[in-house]
Amino acid sequence: MTPTSPPALRVGMIGHAFMGAMHSHAWRTAPRFFDLPLIPELAVIAGRNPDSTEAAAAKYGWAESTTNWRELIERDDIDLIDICTPGDTHREIALAALAAGKHVLCEKPLANTVAEAEEMTAAAEDAASRGVFSMCGFTYRRTPALTLARQLVAEGRLGTVRQVRAQYLQDWLSDENAPMTWRLDKTKSGSGSLGDIGAHIIDAAQYVTGTDIAGVSAMLETFVTRRPVGGEHVGLGGSGATDGEYADVTVDDAALFTARFTDNTVGIFEATRFALGRKNAVRLEINGTLGSLAFDFEDMNVLEFFDGTAPAHTQGFQRIIVTEPVHPYTANWWPAGHGLGYEHGFTHQVVDLVTAIGAGTSPTPSFRDALGVQRVLDAVERSSADHSIYTPVSR
Ligand code: SOE
């Protein structure tokens, strides 16, 4: 007798750029390394341009492509819609998908405004009562070292958490002639460094500490206010054609803020795409009464832990190589020490989402969790807009 394989979860994905490619990889890989209750099927990929969407389907292994996302959502043979488009489209697509009874995975930040995120959360919670589930894509929490960090905080190994230092540093906009992209257009992206990468460290800090940010004091800055349209896009940046058209940058280039959490933990946050030399440094450092933790995504398989309860003569930051089978997610991958990369967080996201759907439970981070992040983004923008800056007074 041949064992029966789990039923399929037929996925329709909208968008096929950076995140679309990454999500495709995750949908394909997850059932090959993890036992899932449903097997994702890369059914249909949607995009605006027929040629590039068809090419993406062939390249990433989707059975079909379409340029009509509304028709895709209405199809009876699709179970889940994966939203990998810019933020200005999230609300419309998610609401339509939930109304059509499809589970939803939505890239972060959940939306471009709090009002949109509230509407999406209400729709998601209504759908959940009918067994239709949603999740927002804050993938860094599924980096094994950060999942372990949360575990250590929850186990009390840090004692009472007092301070959080969070940074997300990239440098792909340092060149003032890097071309204009949708990520620099507020009508499409909602905000700049703040929502694109700051959202990740807000989620990571709240997830690891298990507490929410209750108040912020912020400063946003835009260093380069016009960018060439066109030119050569390389990775997220590139070099623009400086003899042609220019467009206004309408978002922040750097976002800095201090925060107070509900339990009086204090935090300092920095998100920038101008930190020349830093490529994808997602950093989190946490100090508690008994110990400290430090993480840097540029060394993502390591979590540093300082145990203040260890004998004084052996104290010091310990580098935990988070690749042992006892660590989160790692037993399904390579032998200890062989390490994971950026894409694994996305694969773990699929694993957790499909496992929750299979069990009939709501996955996390939920749209409500993502609404919480959205409210922090909004508070940062409001604080920056009316911030009082005190000038040093000579005595
Ligand atoms: C997606 O999760 C994302 O936040 C992108 O939108 C950023 O640009 C990338 O650098 C990190 O990942």
Side-chain angles (χ1 to χ4, degrees):
M1 219 172 75
T2 48
T4 49
S5 75
L9 179 78
R10 297 157 304 182
V11 179
M13 191 178 78
I14 307 176
H16 55 77
F18 174 26
M19 280 305 112
M22 185 53 76
H23 284 221
S24 302
H25 172 83
W27 286 117
R28 219 175 35 242
T29 309
R32 300 194 170 147
F33 286 84
F34 292 80
D35 290 330
L36 300 181
L38 305 162
I39 303 299
E41 206 175 87
L42 283 73
V44 186
I45 185 171
R48 272 177 306 205
N49 177 296
D51 294 340
S52 58
T53 309
E54 208 179 305
K59 187 168 175 191
Y60 304 131
W62 293 82
E64 286 178 51
S65 69
T66 178
T67 54
N68 191 330
W69 66 262
R70 287 184 184 283
E71 265 177 34
L72 167 61
I73 281 174
E74 293 305 327
R75 278 172 64 153
D76 291 338
D77 59 350
I78 294 296
D79 304 307
L80 183 145
I81 294 295
D82 183 2
I83 306 174
C84 291
T85 52
D88 62 328
T89 59
H90 288 186
R91 174 193 159 276
E92 193 182 6
I93 298 174
L95 294 183
L98 291 167
K102 313 296 191 231
H103 307 293
V104 174
L105 171 60
C106 183
E107 254 305 323
K108 50 46 59 185
L110 184 60
N112 280 1
T113 66
V114 169
E116 290 170 354
E118 282 173 344
E119 208 181 338
M120 292 165 75
T121 301
E125 290 179 352
D126 181 50
S129 67
R130 288 177 271 114
V132 174
F133 298 113
S134 325
M135 182 199 254
C136 186
F138 286 110
T139 49
Y140 285 110
R141 34 160 97 197
R142 294 181 164 94
T143 302
L146 276 184
T147 316
L148 178 64
R150 175 180 163 96
Q151 196 180 310
L152 294 179
V153 172
E155 285 170 2
R157 300 295 300 271
L158 268 67
T160 302
V161 171
R162 287 176 170 151
Q163 274 179 261
V164 171
R165 242 155 272 117
Q167 293 179 316
Y168 198 148
L169 314 175
Q170 298 179 335
D171 72 354
W172 56 274
L173 284 176
S174 302
D175 177 352
E176 62 182 26
N177 289 321
M180 185 68 187
T181 81
W182 69 265
R183 281 184 164 80
L184 304 178
D185 176 353
K186 192 172 174 61
T187 62
K188 295 209 161 44
S189 58
S191 66
S193 285
L194 177 62
D196 187 33
I197 55 177
H200 279 302
I201 49 174
I202 294 167
D203 179 68
Q206 295 190 143
Y207 170 73
V208 171
T209 60
T211 14
D212 290 337
I213 292 173
V216 298
S217 174
M219 185 190 282
L220 299 180
E221 185 62 38
T222 304
F223 304 119
V224 180
T225 54
R226 289 171 77 239
R227 295 250 176 208
V229 175
E232 198 195 347
H233 291 258
V234 180
L236 290 162
S239 52
T242 52
D243 53 354
E245 198 191 331
Y246 277 72
D248 289 338
V249 171
T250 47
V251 298
D252 57 282
D253 282 335
L256 296 91
F257 63 97
T258 54
R260 189 178 288 284
F261 290 65
T262 49
D263 65 354
N264 283 336
T265 297
V266 292
I268 180 155
F269 291 73
E270 179 185 9
T272 175
R273 299 179 288 204
F274 283 72
L276 199 54
R278 299 291 175 214
K279 303 299 170 181
N280 203 48
V282 184
R283 296 171 172 176
L284 193 63
E285 192 162 295
I286 301 179
N287 309 121
T289 50
L290 301 180
S292 294
L293 287 174
F295 169 78
D296 185 342
F297 193 81
E298 290 190 337
D299 197 5
M300 63 168 286
N301 290 289
V302 171
L303 180 66
E304 289 194 69
F305 174 50
F306 179 89
D307 183 358
T309 68
H313 62 296
T314 57
Q315 273 183 6
F317 267 99
Q318 169 195 350
R319 272 172 61 85
I320 306 173
I321 313 295
V322 192
T323 57
E324 298 295 325
V326 292
H327 290 138
Y329 303 108
T330 45
N332 289 59
W333 295 105
W334 320 120
H338 290 65
L340 302 187
Y342 177 62
E343 69 274 26
H344 291 85
F346 291 85
T347 306
H348 301 156
Q349 173 167 278
V350 164
V351 171
D352 291 342
L353 173 60
V354 175
T355 303
I357 291 174
T361 55
S362 290
T364 54
S366 64
F367 277 17
R368 182 160 293 282
D369 296 328
L371 168 61
V373 173
Q374 200 79 41
R375 288 187 170 137
V376 176
L377 299 178
D378 178 70
V380 168
E381 289 201 290
R382 285 187 286 120
S383 167
S384 171
D386 62 21
H387 201 58
S388 309
I389 298 192
Y390 292 88
T391 320
V393 192
S394 52
R395 293 172 196 278

